[in-house]
Amino acid sequence: MNIFDIVMDIGFFAAAVRLAVPLLLGTLSELTAERSGVLNLGIEGMMLSGALAGFGTASATGSLWLGVTAAIGVGMLVGALMALLVVTLRLDQTVTGLGVSLMATGLVFYSYRLGFGESSTPPAITPFSTIPLPFLSDIPVIGPVFFNQYALTYLAYLLVPALAFFLYRTPAGLALRSVGENPQAAAAAGIDPIRVRFLALIAAGGLAGLAGAYLNLAAFGSFTFGIIAGRGWICLALVVLGRWNPIACAGAAFLFGAVDALQLRLQASGAVDLPYQLFLALPYAATLVAMILNASRAVGPTALMQPYDAEQR
């Protein structure tokens, strides 16, 4: 099978849709935080925390949906911690985000070993099954690609128009964008920037936790230490590529999901004789290239990374 046959296969596009989901949820998470003026470098730790919380809960209770709930809840807790540090205490967002991510990673590894012990074979659960939508899944080409997916996949893609509607069609969304552009002006208009940023980071944490849970509750059915594999950092780039717009960010996430699906199929088919490490690096290399090409056109929220002090208006 050559590269053209791989790219034109319906299974390739269906896999691209699935593989884009954790990137999509992580990108929506980061977009929500950055629209409020906070750069959330803790996203990798949030995703990993959600992954373990979801897997551990599902493994203990036998309920995948309880696992999803736990993942969102733990992600929100990490988001609240991030908010306390950078919004309330006004600590440096870059250093704090990295610190939160490292702390969460350490706690996850410790909790995993405490709960599951040392084992050469990672524990596994039965993940979500795909749910073909009646009638829609029977549509040629489009049906198998978009309408025979996991429930979490449908949820993730529905969140895209929902977030776009929230940002551009609701007073709360306007308040969020206003705080990200000029928190002093927003405060003068009666909006509380601290409250808005705090809630934005909690919501961002929940979305990041859900992104992490998707990987083991739907995609893999197991938990490993490298399950996130840097996807949180890719999400930071996808927000820039999507220019802080939910619809464009979804397109960017799908593009990189397709790159990930391509490298997996190239490895499996043997169509290109290269070391597997080069295939694994392909999505990250594509991220760097896209960032370079898009650098001059990316303009983020004006108040991004600027702490807000209520006493200095």
Side-chain angles (χ1 to χ4, degrees):
M1 179 179 289
N2 57 39
I3 297 178
F4 179 78
D5 292 333
I6 292 174
V7 173
M8 296 307 295
D9 182 52
I10 291 178
F12 164 76
F13 288 101
V17 170
R18 289 193 294 271
L19 290 171
V21 171
L23 294 173
L24 173 59
L25 290 169
T27 302
L28 294 181
S29 166
E30 186 63 29
L31 183 151
T32 302
E34 293 191 15
R35 275 292 192 173
S36 74
V38 178
L39 178 67
N40 180 24
L41 294 184
I43 183 173
E44 186 87 359
M46 293 176 182
M47 291 175 70
L48 187 60
S49 299
L52 180 61
F55 180 80
T57 302
S59 179
T61 65
S63 171
L64 294 173
W65 285 109
L66 278 179
V68 170
T69 304
I72 294 173
V74 169
M76 292 174 70
L77 286 176
V78 181
L81 173 62
M82 180 76 179
L84 174 65
L85 296 174
V86 301
V87 178
T88 304
L89 301 180
R90 300 193 299 278
L91 301 182
D92 182 89
Q93 295 180 11
T94 303
V95 175
T96 302
L98 292 174
V100 167
S101 190
L102 290 172
M103 182 199 71
T105 300
L107 287 175
V108 165
F109 289 174
Y110 174 75
S111 300
Y112 175 84
R113 294 189 185 280
L114 194 65
F116 295 96
E118 296 282 353
S119 175
S120 57
T121 303
I125 59 173
T126 302
F128 283 107
S129 300
T130 57
I131 302 175
L133 298 183
F135 306 112
L136 294 176
S137 61
D138 296 327
I139 300 174
V141 182
I142 296 176
V145 173
F146 294 105
F147 302 116
N148 187 17
Q149 298 286 354
Y150 305 116
L152 293 181
T153 303
Y154 299 131
L155 174 62
Y157 283 97
L158 287 174
L159 285 174
V160 176
L163 182 57
F165 180 84
F166 170 78
L167 286 175
Y168 302 115
R169 293 290 185 270
T170 67
L174 176 61
L176 180 69
R177 290 185 291 119
S178 299
V179 169
E181 294 294 336
N182 192 326
Q184 287 76 22
I191 299 170
D192 184 355
I194 293 177
R195 180 173 180 270
V196 169
R197 287 185 172 182
F198 212 102
L199 292 176
L201 277 171
I202 291 176
L207 286 170
L210 179 59
Y214 175 89
L215 290 167
N216 48 34
L217 297 183
F220 302 138
S222 63
F223 179 88
T224 61
F225 290 158
I227 192 169
I228 304 302
R231 287 179 175 87
W233 310 124
I234 291 181
C235 292
L236 292 167
L238 294 182
V239 173
V240 178
L241 294 179
R243 302 182 190 180
W244 294 268
N245 181 285
I247 306 298
C249 284
F254 177 77
L255 174 63
F256 284 89
V259 173
D260 201 9
L262 177 62
Q263 67 91 6
L264 290 173
R265 275 163 168 70
L266 287 175
Q267 287 189 66
S269 67
V272 180
D273 186 17
L274 290 173
Y276 77 93
Q277 292 90 345
L278 292 179
F279 291 117
L280 293 176
L282 187 59
Y284 307 98
T287 301
L288 290 175
V289 172
M291 287 291 292
I292 292 171
L293 296 176
N294 195 61
S296 61
R297 294 176 292 178
V299 180
T302 307
L304 183 62
M305 297 183 66
Q306 296 180 11
Y308 170 73
D309 187 351
E311 298 179 358
Q312 296 178 356
R313 296 186 180 181

